[in-house]
Structures are given as C-alpha cells and as structure tokens.
Amino acid sequence: MDSDSIPNLDIDVPEISQVAFVVEDIEDGMDRFGGVLGVGPWQVYHFEPPTLHDTTFRSEEREYSMTLALADVGGTMIELIEPLEGESLYTEHLEEHGEGLHHVACFAFEDPESVVEAFEDEGMPVVQSGVYDETPYWYFDTEEELNGVVFETAANVEAMGEPDEEYR
C-alpha cells in the first residue's frame, strides 16, 4: 500500500489496551504463553449465546461463540481466543493464517461510537461485532492497512463482570 492511499482518520488512540492472538486450544495457548513468557494468571470467559448476542460477521447477522483468556502484562491485556462454533473472524484467521497475532484494541476512547463512524467513513467497515452482556465491540477491516492486523474497540468493558474461571 503506497502512502497516498493510506486513510487518515481524525482520531487519536490513547493507548493499546489489548494485543490478541487466535489459538486452536485455549489451555495449550495459556500454557505456551505462560511457559515461554511468564504470562498469567488468566481469566477465562466463555462468550456464547444468550450472554453473547447481536453478533454480526461480514455484514450479516451470525451466531458464533468463543472462549477468551485474558491476562495483564505491564498494563496491557493479552487475549487468547479459541473459536468454538460458527463462522467468525477467528475461524477465518485460523483457516488463512493459522494461530497467531489477530488484533490490537483500544478500549479507552471516550466515544467509541464516533470511532466506529470514523473508520467506516474512511472505508474500513465493521467486519465483526457483537454485545457480550452489556459490552458492545467492533472489529474493523484494517488488515490491508495494518499488515494483516485487525483493529478493535469496545464500550463499557468494565461491565464484563467476573470470569467464568481462573487459570494459573
């Protein structure tokens, strides 16, 4: 992509809140990140209906589910995602690239809906979205601009509640 075709969004990212990886098996992923990098303890969430609702994938309403493992490393959230059921960005990533870096996210925007609008106005539409309990999230089509990495934002992340389980 040449510099003349790079979109210029009028937003400032206050922080990278999260770096996320798609994995085939969540426990194996937690063990590998823990063993090699000392990441942990993990908080594990099961994102599935009915708590996960209003889900879309590639502009269509789609049901999907996944297990997430979250850990803090120096103030940045590391997320591992194991897709469970339904077609999603995660299953697509595994099919096309295998395990690995999937997205970076910022959850510190004062007005995430305006961020959604800014990305869409610059031709980077929402490619996956949903609501987990009371927490809406949006993934944008940034793979071309960010060398294969997707960008995510969410609102009301503090409403996610307690994890389903803890893992060393």
Side-chain angles (χ1 to χ4, degrees):
M1 168 171 269
D2 65 52
S3 61
D4 292 336
S5 63
I6 297 173
N8 188 7
L9 278 74
D10 190 21
I11 62 168
D12 291 317
V13 175
E15 69 182 29
I16 296 297
S17 310
Q18 179 186 79
V19 177
F21 301 84
V22 176
V23 296
E24 295 276 355
D25 180 271
I26 202 77
E27 285 190 20
D28 177 64
M30 290 185 291
D31 288 343
R32 287 185 285 139
F33 274 75
V36 175
L37 301 176
V39 177
W42 297 91
Q43 296 183 321
V44 179
Y45 292 84
H46 303 291
F47 275 43
E48 54 196 2
T51 308
L52 178 63
H53 54 92
D54 298 321
T55 50
T56 68
F57 174 59
R58 302 257 179 233
S59 302
E60 295 181 16
E61 290 184 21
R62 293 273 178 92
E63 279 195 7
Y64 53 82
S65 62
M66 64 278 202
T67 297
L68 309 179
L70 307 174
D72 180 78
V73 175
T76 300
M77 180 188 301
I78 302 298
E79 177 182 47
L80 304 179
I81 306 163
E82 177 190 345
L84 299 175
E85 293 184 11
E87 197 175 1
S88 67
L89 278 181
Y90 321 122
T91 58
E92 187 176 89
H93 183 91
L94 285 174
E95 290 168 7
E96 294 176 10
H97 310 288
E99 293 186 316
L101 178 63
H102 180 261
H103 70 266
V104 295
C106 176
F107 304 139
F109 292 114
E110 288 184 24
D111 183 6
E113 286 83 6
S114 70
V115 173
V116 172
E117 187 176 311
F119 272 89
E120 289 186 328
D121 286 350
E122 286 298 325
M124 293 174 281
V126 171
V127 289
Q128 182 167 296
S129 66
V131 179
Y132 177 73
D133 197 14
E134 297 176 30
T135 304
Y137 60 88
W138 304 269
Y139 291 92
F140 304 99
D141 186 3
T142 58
E143 288 186 89
E144 182 178 341
E145 293 80 6
L146 299 179
N147 297 321
V149 177
V150 173
F151 184 74
E152 177 195 19
T153 194
N156 202 25
V157 173
E158 62 280 351
M160 276 184 51
E162 295 298 313
D164 297 310
E165 57 189 278
E166 301 265 340
Y167 192 83
R168 59 179 141 81

